[in-house]
């Protein structure tokens, strides 16, 4: 009788491990949600054993957990198991912030504590955050040793950007950031986030920066320009659908870009017609020798093309949505691009 009982338990263990291997860990995504987490927590030893040998999971999708409270040891065990995934590259937080209680951020922090693979953190799918959630998240990522890439969506609260930028600046191997923001409060006099953003831009490991939908006030322009002038390690800089205050912003950004010695690739995609960032580019190009690749879309091109004639570093230029080939554009190309001795590639796509 005893032998049959042992065989039954061994068979049960076998099927549990097969479930973990095939259903939870069999593909590139591991879903941590209210459906999977109860099973995982009840079979954490089995899950951990399979995770140690797993070579397929690349992205963990964290939806949070609404079940009964668990001991810290249980969440530490889960974090250790996730930290054992050999091919883990990304952690995506996919649940709307309104549905994320404070306990979920504690769980997230405990998971991250055990992750030693170099990973990307993606928060772009989360809806509105409140100040407390923002603080808890900043605390969860603070000083993490292996986060190399970070993306945040537009609904992160403006008043909490200081906490986010300051936390990101503590990441010792951060290489790439995508920051998306579309709105700001009417009264920003008490907000210091331009300086905290400038501190983030100065992180020595940071190479790629994408600023999406930013509303560049004079204070933000000045802080960004100061960071570029003081010295950054950034090589790729993208302004995507950003707006800029007229007048002084162009001068500030031009000064920052002209004195920067690290950025080799600039991409500007704009649906705005203010032309400020393109005026800044035109003013900076004659004195910038480190820029190698320039991609612009939606730009008033003649000033930029004319400035390229005086630039000695340019290698490739790509333009989308440049409009009609009118007389001013033709003259700018003739007087600017055709006189550039270092230009190797020019692509014009009127899409």
């Amino acid at each position: 009788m005893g032998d049959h009982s042992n065989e039954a338990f061994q068979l049960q263990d076998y099927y549990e491990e097969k479930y973990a291997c095939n259903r939870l860990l069999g593909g590139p995504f591991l879903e941590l949600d209210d459906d999977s987490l109860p099973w995982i927590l009840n079979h954490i030893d089995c899950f951990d054993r399979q995770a140690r040998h797993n070579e397929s999971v690349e992205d963990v999708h964290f939806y949070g957990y609404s079940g009964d409270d668990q001991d810290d040891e249980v969440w530490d065990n889960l974090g250790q198991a996730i930290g054992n995934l050999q091919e883990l590259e990304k952690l995506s937080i996919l649940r709307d912030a309104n549905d994320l209680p404070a306990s979920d951020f504690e769980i997230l922090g405990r998971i991250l504590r055990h992750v030693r693979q170099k990973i990307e953190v993606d928060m772009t799918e989360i809806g509105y955050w409140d100040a407390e959630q923002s603080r808890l998240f900043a605390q969860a990522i603070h000083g993490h040793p292996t986060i190399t890439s970070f993306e945040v969506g537009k609904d992160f609260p403006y008043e909490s950007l200081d906490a986010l930028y300051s936390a990101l600046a503590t990441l010792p191997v951060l290489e790439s950031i995508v920051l998306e923001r579309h709105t700001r409060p009417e009264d920003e006099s008490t907000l210091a986030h331009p300086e905290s953003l400038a501190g983030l831009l100065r992180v020595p490991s940071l190479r790629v920066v994408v600023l999406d939908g930013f509303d560049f006030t004079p204070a933000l322009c000045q802080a960004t320009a100061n960071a570029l002038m003081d010295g950054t390690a950034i090589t790729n800089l993208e302004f995507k659908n950003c707006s800029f205050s007229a007048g002084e912003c162009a001068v500030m950004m031009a000064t920052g870009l002209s004195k920067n010695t690290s950025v080799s690739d600039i991409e500007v995609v704009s649906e705005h017609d203010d032309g400020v960032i393109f005026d800044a580019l035109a003013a900076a190009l004659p004195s910038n020798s480190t820029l190698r690749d320039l991609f612009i879309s939606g730009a008033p091109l003649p000033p930029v093309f004319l400035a390229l004639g005086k630039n000695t570093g340019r290698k490739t230029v790509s333009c989308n949505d440049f409009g009609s080939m009118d007389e001013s554009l033709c003259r700018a190309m003739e007087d600017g691009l055709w006189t550039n001795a270092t230009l190797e590639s020019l692509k014009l796509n009127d899409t």
Side-chain angles (χ1 to χ4, degrees):
M1 178 70 70
D3 290 340
H4 289 296
S5 297
N6 289 335
E7 289 179 3
F9 282 123
Q10 291 173 0
L11 187 61
Q12 180 181 356
D13 290 342
Y14 171 79
Y15 282 119
E16 286 176 354
E17 295 206 4
K18 290 292 288 184
Y19 177 94
C21 182
N22 295 331
R23 183 167 180 178
L24 294 177
L25 299 170
F29 307 109
L30 168 61
E31 311 284 342
L32 298 181
D33 55 24
D34 286 338
D35 291 328
S36 63
L37 277 170
W39 192 94
I40 292 173
L41 298 178
N42 287 329
H43 304 84
I44 190 63
D45 291 339
C46 164
F47 182 80
D48 184 41
R49 283 196 300 272
Q50 293 296 328
R52 290 175 185 273
H53 305 286
N54 183 270
E55 297 181 352
S56 60
V57 174
E58 300 174 357
D59 190 348
V60 171
H61 293 172
F62 181 75
Y63 292 88
Y65 183 62
S66 59
D68 296 333
D69 291 339
Q70 298 283 343
D71 292 338
D72 291 345
E73 182 179 356
V74 173
W75 296 119
D76 281 331
N77 289 338
L78 175 65
Q80 290 171 3
I82 292 174
N84 287 328
L85 294 169
Q86 297 182 25
E87 301 299 323
L88 182 63
E89 297 178 353
K90 186 175 182 180
L91 173 63
S92 301
I93 306 169
L94 300 176
R95 192 168 183 176
D96 194 297
N98 290 325
D99 298 325
L100 285 174
S103 58
D104 276 1
F105 291 95
E106 295 176 6
I107 296 170
L108 183 62
R110 287 189 173 274
I111 291 174
L112 284 171
R113 191 176 304 169
H114 296 280
V115 172
R116 291 296 178 265
Q117 305 92 328
K118 290 186 176 181
I119 61 165
E120 171 188 346
V121 175
D122 184 352
M123 297 166 41
T124 55
E125 297 300 319
I126 293 186
Y128 178 75
W129 296 70
D130 63 27
E132 178 63 9
Q133 290 168 329
S134 307
R135 183 190 68 80
L136 291 170
F137 180 78
Q139 182 178 324
I141 66 170
H142 189 278
H144 195 279
T146 61
I147 295 177
T148 61
S149 180
F150 184 89
E151 296 187 37
V152 62
K154 64 183 179 181
D155 291 316
F156 200 90
Y158 193 89
E159 61 272 16
S160 299
L161 289 174
D162 267 346
L164 175 64
Y165 295 160
S166 297
L168 290 174
T170 68
L171 303 180
V173 296
L174 184 67
E175 299 174 357
S176 172
I177 54 173
V178 178
L179 305 177
E180 183 178 356
R181 179 173 59 81
H182 283 257
T183 58
R184 72 178 193 271
E186 293 182 1
D187 180 13
E188 59 175 312
S189 60
T190 61
L191 301 176
H193 83 268
E195 292 306 320
S196 59
L197 176 60
L200 173 57
L201 297 179
R202 294 187 181 98
V203 169
S205 59
L206 191 59
R207 297 294 183 269
V208 179
V209 175
V210 179
L211 303 175
D212 186 352
F214 270 54
D215 189 349
F216 276 87
T217 62
L220 189 55
C221 277
Q222 187 64 69
T224 304
N226 288 343
L228 291 171
M229 285 187 291
D230 293 344
T232 68
I234 299 168
T235 57
N236 295 64
L237 180 60
E238 179 179 347
F239 298 98
K240 186 176 180 181
N241 295 323
C242 296
S243 61
F244 296 80
S245 299
E248 54 191 319
C249 262
V251 176
M252 295 174 188
M253 294 299 293
T255 303
L257 291 171
S258 63
K259 295 184 177 182
N260 178 269
T261 59
S262 67
V263 177
S264 60
D265 189 325
I266 289 182
E267 182 170 340
V268 180
V269 178
S270 179
E271 297 176 355
H272 302 283
D273 297 325
D274 50 40
V276 173
I277 186 61
F278 303 112
D279 290 341
L281 272 175
L285 282 170
S287 55
N288 183 299
S289 60
T290 59
L291 193 62
R292 294 292 180 268
D293 299 293
L294 177 63
F295 177 90
I296 46 182
S297 178
L301 295 181
V304 177
F305 279 177
L306 285 171
L308 285 170
K310 303 175 183 179
N311 182 272
T312 59
R314 285 288 339 108
K315 299 299 182 184
T316 67
V317 175
S318 301
C319 305
N320 280 352
D321 300 321
F322 62 86
S324 60
M325 186 70 75
D326 57 18
E327 182 178 351
S328 63
L329 182 58
C330 291
R331 184 173 296 277
M333 293 176 67
E334 181 178 355
D335 296 340
L337 293 179
W338 305 149
T339 62
N340 186 311
T342 62
L343 186 63
E344 297 176 355
S345 175
L346 172 64
K347 297 179 181 179
L348 300 178
N349 300 307
D350 185 8
T351 57

